[in-house]
Amino acid sequence: MLCLPHAQRKPSGSDNRTKIKIAPAANAASNFAMLQGISPLISPELLAVLCRMGHGDEIVLSDAHFPAETFNSRVLRADGLRIPALLEGILPLFALDTYVKSPVVMMQAVPGDTLDPEVGKSYRAVIDKIRPGTPDFELVERFAFYERTKKAFAVVVTGETAKYGNIILKKGVTPLS
């Protein structure tokens, strides 16, 4: 969902209600922005969640196949968005926790399976660009990741299709400057 400057309304029939038709996301992301300095990929709901999170709270950015509704009641959708693009939108908006060993967590491969190293590299490139000096990612076992998801502030289900593409961000203290 994108925050767009207007919607086109069409009458729906005799009940006097209107249907809202939103411009396609592909056009909207490049042409519209309601707030300066905030990526148009950040929906109003996600912006509100990021604002309500306190230091130490965690947000899960999950791949498209993650069972988010099973593990958390606050689930947002970012269908069609890849995690690196979402990281580019989120990371300028809050600090990562500097009081923990690793404020970024990824799910480790199940025994007998393998991680694609390019997935972590693509996430790392964005994090290094926006939050240089962030410690190495922590890799956690699948079921431990699920347990952390239960305690997370929210889960954002993305359009990410990379295997083991899930990532957790721990919010830090917002600097005064």
Side-chain angles (χ1 to χ4, degrees), residues 2 7 27 56 61 75 103 112 117 124 141 173:
L2 295 171
N27 295 338
L61 305 181
V75 175
R124 184 85 231 180
E141 184 269 337
V173 175

Side-chain angles (χ1 to χ4, degrees), residues 7 9 24 63 75 83 85 173:
R9 297 181 182 270
D63 63 34
V75 175
I83 289 177
V173 175

Side-chain angles (χ1 to χ4, degrees), residues 116-158:
D116 177 355
E118 295 305 311
V119 175
K121 286 180 186 177
S122 69
Y123 298 174
R124 184 85 231 180
V126 175
I127 291 169
D128 286 346
K129 178 176 133 186
I130 299 168
R131 299 285 175 205
T134 298
D136 289 339
F137 299 170
E138 178 184 357
L139 292 175
V140 298
E141 184 269 337
R142 175 180 168 203
F143 292 102
F145 193 97
Y146 291 160
E147 286 303 312
R148 242 168 128 164
T149 300
K150 289 177 185 178
K151 298 173 188 171
F153 191 85
V155 178
V156 180
V157 179
T158 71

Side-chain angles (χ1 to χ4, degrees), residues 65-67 71 105-111 113 139-149 164 166 168:
H65 307 289
F66 190 78
F71 297 113
V105 177
M106 287 187 69
M107 185 186 292
Q108 94 189 155
V110 172
D113 209 351
L139 292 175
V140 298
E141 184 269 337
R142 175 180 168 203
F143 292 102
F145 193 97
Y146 291 160
E147 286 303 312
R148 242 168 128 164
T149 300
Y164 300 107
N166 311 298
I168 297 173

Side-chain angles (χ1 to χ4, degrees), residues 6-12 17-23:
H6 63 83
Q8 299 170 352
R9 297 181 182 270
K10 291 184 175 182
S12 63
R17 291 185 289 178
T18 58
K19 289 185 180 178
I20 298 175
K21 182 179 177 185
I22 304 285

Side-chain angles (χ1 to χ4, degrees), residues 3-4 11 25 33 40 44-46 49 59 63 80 84-85 109-110 113 118 152 169 177:
C3 185
L4 301 176
E45 294 82 6
L46 179 54
V49 163
I59 188 164
D63 63 34
V110 172
D113 209 351
E118 295 305 311
L169 305 174
S177 58

